[in-house]
């Protein structure tokens, strides 16, 4: 996991006045994610990243957004993620590590 090049999405958000605005059957956020994905598979981009990763808020809306855009949890359970990251078992996870494999977009 640590040996693959990845780009980390920081704080990604859409202004609340535009969150429910859809164009071409996609939300602004979905269009933004499509742009990010396409940027890192473009031949002019020389980063060599294989994955996009995000430390998403562990709440319904952000997790639903990232899953809808093809992201998956890096760890199969919250307990596994806590163990790997050294978070005590009795502590709630504020975020979840998610990833998207850019190889899915290339032929």
């Amino acid at each position: 996991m640590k040996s693959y090049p990845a780009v980390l999405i920081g704080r990604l958000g859409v202004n609340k006045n535009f969150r429910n605005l859809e164009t071409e059957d996609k939300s602004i956020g979905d269009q933004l994610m499509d742009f990010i994905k396409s940027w890192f598979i473009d031949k002019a981009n020389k980063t060599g990243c294989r994955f996009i990763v995000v430390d998403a808020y562990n709440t319904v809306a952000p997790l639903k957004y990232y899953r809808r855009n093809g992201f998956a949890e890096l760890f199969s359970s919250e307990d596994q993620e806590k163990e790997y990251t050294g978070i005590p078992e009795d502590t709630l996870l504020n975020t979840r590590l998610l990833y998207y494999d850019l190889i899915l977009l290339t032929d």
Side-chain angles (χ1 to χ4, degrees):
M1 166 176 84
K2 291 182 180 181
S3 63
Y4 288 98
V7 61
L8 172 67
I9 294 177
R11 297 284 183 220
L12 177 67
V14 174
N15 182 298
K16 62 184 173 184
N17 296 326
F18 298 97
R19 285 187 187 150
N20 296 319
L21 181 64
E22 290 191 13
T23 59
E24 302 174 16
D25 298 325
K26 284 195 164 196
S27 72
I28 300 271
D30 292 338
Q31 291 178 51
L32 179 58
M33 187 55 64
D34 288 347
F35 173 79
I36 291 168
K37 290 174 184 175
S38 68
W39 179 264
F40 286 98
I41 62 165
D42 187 280
K43 294 189 187 317
N45 185 303
K46 305 296 184 200
T47 60
C49 290
R50 165 73 188 266
F51 297 98
I52 298 173
V53 294
V54 64
D55 204 14
Y57 286 120
N58 193 15
T59 58
V60 173
L63 293 176
K64 181 179 175 183
Y65 166 77
Y66 284 108
R67 288 180 187 133
R68 182 177 70 238
N69 281 281
F71 283 74
E73 285 85 356
L74 188 58
F75 298 97
S76 59
S77 70
E78 288 190 31
D79 289 337
Q80 186 184 47
E81 188 167 339
K82 286 178 190 179
E83 181 181 340
Y84 180 82
T85 56
I87 296 172
E89 286 182 28
D90 59 344
T91 303
L92 293 176
L93 278 180
N94 293 326
T95 61
R96 292 294 313 269
L97 292 168
L98 305 171
Y99 74 97
Y100 181 85
D101 190 350
L102 290 165
I103 200 117
L104 298 171
L105 300 176
T106 59
D107 290 330

